[in-house]
Amino acid sequence: MRCPQCGTRDTRVIDSRDLDESATIRRRRECPACSTRFTTYERVEAARLVVVKRDGVRQEFDRDKLASGLAKALTRRPVPDDAAERAADEIEGELRSAGQSEVPSSRVGALAMEKLRALDHIAYIRFASVYQSFEDLEDLKREVDQLFAEGSPKKGKRTA
Ligand SMILES: [Zn+2]
């Protein structure tokens, strides 16, 4: 597998794991020449997953970018260390199992908000305030009031 950064052919696999009940194998690879890390997916029918942004720009789905966005929202919140990684894997699994090669970025954002909402309300508000860019304080207050009305996520609950 060629390094996307420098073109070196001899990259090595540093991690391998099954996604969505083994239909997909995800491999993390590292280039020995430039240390770039990247991810490859092996499927029965190789499917690209492209995210279409609101302005029409298309980008390859970046699971690690999603995981780091989730991790940022979950910083110092009382959730398991791997919560962001798990949520990113779950979101990716859901996107890929839908079987479409293109998904709108709003779908990815909605899934991320759904996962965070079930994990931790503060993280959810952090993420939503960036992602949805609340128009004003009233919008934010409405969202917070709604969360209060629903109560806290159950401790130790897994989002499956
Ligand atoms: Zn390289």
Side-chain angles (χ1 to χ4, degrees):
M1 187 64 61
R2 239 180 142 90
C3 169
Q5 195 64 38
C6 70
T8 294
R9 286 185 175 278
D10 195 18
T11 54
R12 74 195 170 88
V13 175
I14 52 177
D15 182 47
S16 241
R17 59 203 278 204
D18 291 350
L19 293 179
D20 55 58
E21 283 151 4
S22 306
T24 306
I25 298 169
R26 173 176 171 270
R27 296 192 208 284
R28 290 288 289 156
R29 293 171 183 270
E30 188 175 60
C31 171
C34 71
S35 297
T36 292
R37 291 188 173 192
F38 61 105
T39 307
T40 57
Y41 298 92
E42 193 174 289
R43 283 182 75 91
V44 176
E45 271 182 26
R48 264 162 61 85
L49 185 57
V50 172
V51 177
V52 185
K53 294 209 232 173
R54 250 166 270 221
D55 58 8
V57 172
R58 286 167 159 73
Q59 264 179 354
E60 194 80 26
F61 172 74
D62 187 340
R63 182 241 172 241
D64 291 345
K65 193 173 146 200
L66 174 63
S68 71
L70 293 168
K72 208 168 157 189
L74 288 163
T75 303
R76 289 191 293 279
R77 297 304 302 160
V79 295
D81 289 345
D82 65 347
E85 294 293 320
R86 283 180 55 102
D89 285 347
E90 286 168 10
I91 290 167
E92 177 173 32
E94 283 174 46
L95 293 171
R96 288 186 182 277
S97 64
Q100 280 159 341
S101 58
E102 292 196 353
V103 293
S105 60
S106 58
R107 174 84 185 121
V108 183
L111 282 171
M113 300 229 287
E114 191 184 303
K115 297 291 174 195
L116 288 175
R117 197 182 175 118
L119 276 168
D120 183 83
H121 285 166
I122 298 293
Y124 167 72
I125 289 291
R126 279 177 183 163
F127 188 88
S129 65
V130 175
Y131 179 73
Q132 283 191 322
S133 59
F134 290 110
E135 288 295 306
D136 55 33
L137 276 175
E138 273 305 307
D139 282 358
L140 184 55
K141 184 175 179 302
R142 256 194 302 279
E143 197 72 28
V144 172
D145 286 346
Q146 207 182 322
L147 290 174
F148 268 111
E150 289 171 15
S152 298
K154 300 270 181 298
K155 290 285 174 220
K157 186 189 159 220
R158 292 289 189 185
T159 58

